[in-house]
Amino acid sequence: MYNETMDKNNREYTDKFTDFSKKSISDFILYNSGIEYCEAGYSYGPKRRDYHFIHFVKEGNGSLEINDKKFEVHENQLFIVPAGEISTYTASVDSPWKYSWIGFLGIQSHNYVQMLMQSSEEHFVLDCADAELYETKIMKIIDMSNDDSTASFLKINGVMYDIIGTLLEECIKHSNTTYSSSVSSKAVRYMDLHYHDDIHISDIADFAGIHPSYLAGIFKSEMGISPKKYLTNLKINKAKELLIATDDPINIIGSSVGFSDALSFSKFFRKETSLSPSQYRKDYKK
C-alpha cells in the first residue's frame, strides 16, 4: 500500500479504498500522505493537482512558488497548496527539507483549507509549534496501510481528521480571526446542516443575524464564492454522491437535497451539470 525507497525515511501511502470520483463528492477524505527527507536541491513542479495538500517541515529550508509569489519555508513551518493551484517547491541545496505531507479532498475540505489560510498573513505558509508531531501522526497512517480492511480505512481517516483538527486548533488559537463567531462560518454551518431542506439565502442570513446583501458580500470576501453558489455546489455534490452510492429513485434523491418534486430537482441538476440525474447515474455508477 506504500512505496519504500532505499532511504527508509522516505515512505508514501496513497488511499486505494475509494475511487477518485467518489472522493471528490465525499465530505472529507484522505488522498495520500508520506514522509520525505529531500536530497539537496530537490524540486517538484510546476504542477497542478486535483486535491489539497499540506507539507510539514521538520528540518531544513526551501521555497514555495505559487500565484506568482515565492515564499521561503523553514523548520517548524508548513505550506499549503489548494486544489487546482499551480505550484513549485524546491529544497535548499545547503540544508534540504525533511518534511511529511498529507493530501485530502472532499466537499468540506475547501472550508478547512480556507480557515487555515486565513489564519496567516502569508496564506500559503504557516508556523507550527512542532512539525515532528505531524510526522508522527502521518507515520501512524503509513504503519496502518498494510492492512486492507475497512477497519484500517476508518482508522486511517480518523488520523487524518486528528491532523487537520489539531492543526486548525493550533493555527486559529494564534490567529486574530475568531472563526467561532465568523459570519461565513455560521452560514456554512447552517447550509451544511440544512441543505436537504428548501432553504433560501434569507434563511441563512436570518440565522447569521445579518441582512442578505451583507451576507453575500462578506461570504464572497471570505470564502471566494457566493453563499448561493456554495449552497448549489453542496446540493449538487450531495446529489451526485447519492446517485452513485444508492439506487434510490430520483424523487427521493431530490427530496434529500431540498426539492419538493423530481421535475424541479432534475431541472436544477441538468442546469448545473448538463446531465439529467438519470444520465449522470448511468455514466458514473459502477
Side-chain angles (χ1 to χ4, degrees), residues 60-284:
N61 304 286
S63 64
L64 167 70
E65 296 179 55
I66 186 170
N67 278 2
D68 298 321
K69 293 182 180 179
K70 185 173 182 178
F71 302 90
E72 299 301 321
V73 189
H74 56 72
E75 177 181 345
N76 285 329
Q77 285 191 315
L78 61 92
F79 59 90
I80 302 174
V81 177
E85 296 284 358
I86 298 174
S87 67
T88 302
Y89 46 95
T90 306
S92 163
V93 173
D94 299 324
S95 180
W97 283 323
K98 294 181 180 180
Y99 57 50
S100 56
W101 83 85
I102 186 167
F104 52 92
L105 65 164
I107 297 169
Q108 298 296 336
S109 62
H110 176 77
N111 298 333
Y112 303 146
V113 167
Q114 289 299 310
M115 291 171 71
L116 288 169
M117 292 175 65
Q118 290 170 26
S119 71
S120 167
E121 291 184 0
E122 292 189 324
H123 299 303
F124 299 101
V125 178
L126 290 75
D127 294 328
C128 61
D130 182 11
E132 190 166 5
L133 169 68
Y134 296 99
E135 180 180 295
T136 300
K137 294 178 185 292
I138 288 169
M139 182 60 75
K140 287 183 180 179
I141 292 176
I142 294 171
D143 288 341
M144 287 190 287
S145 66
N146 287 317
D147 183 354
D148 290 340
S149 69
T150 300
S152 177
F153 167 76
L154 293 171
K155 288 179 180 179
I156 285 170
N157 278 278
V159 176
M160 177 197 63
Y161 273 88
D162 177 48
I163 289 171
I164 300 301
T166 301
L167 184 57
L168 281 168
E169 182 179 49
E170 176 181 356
C171 292
I172 292 174
K173 182 168 61 177
H174 295 99
S175 168
N176 293 325
T177 306
T178 306
Y179 288 95
S180 60
S181 60
S182 162
V183 168
S184 295
S185 177
K186 289 181 179 179
V188 165
R189 190 179 309 123
Y190 184 85
M191 287 186 278
D192 288 347
L193 292 173
H194 296 278
Y195 69 87
H196 47 77
D197 297 323
D198 183 21
I199 60 173
H200 304 279
I201 299 304
S202 58
D203 300 316
I204 303 165
D206 286 344
F207 177 78
I210 60 173
H211 190 276
S213 296
Y214 180 64
L215 169 65
I218 194 169
F219 195 96
K220 181 66 178 291
S221 174
E222 292 182 0
M223 304 300 295
I225 59 174
S226 69
K228 182 178 180 180
K229 184 61 176 174
Y230 178 91
L231 181 59
T232 294
N233 290 346
L234 183 60
K235 287 176 177 287
I236 287 292
N237 287 327
K238 289 292 185 179
K240 287 179 177 178
E241 182 177 2
L242 291 170
L243 287 165
I244 290 174
T246 77
D247 294 318
D248 292 345
I250 301 303
N251 66 312
I252 297 298
I253 291 177
S255 176
S256 299
V257 294
F259 291 87
S260 59
D261 60 82
L263 180 59
S264 58
F265 166 63
S266 295
K267 287 181 177 179
F268 168 79
F269 193 90
R270 184 186 290 275
K271 178 183 176 183
E272 297 300 324
T273 67
S274 300
L275 294 173
S276 69
S278 298
Q279 188 63 48
Y280 181 87
R281 171 177 274 168
K282 181 180 179 181
D283 289 350
Y284 292 98

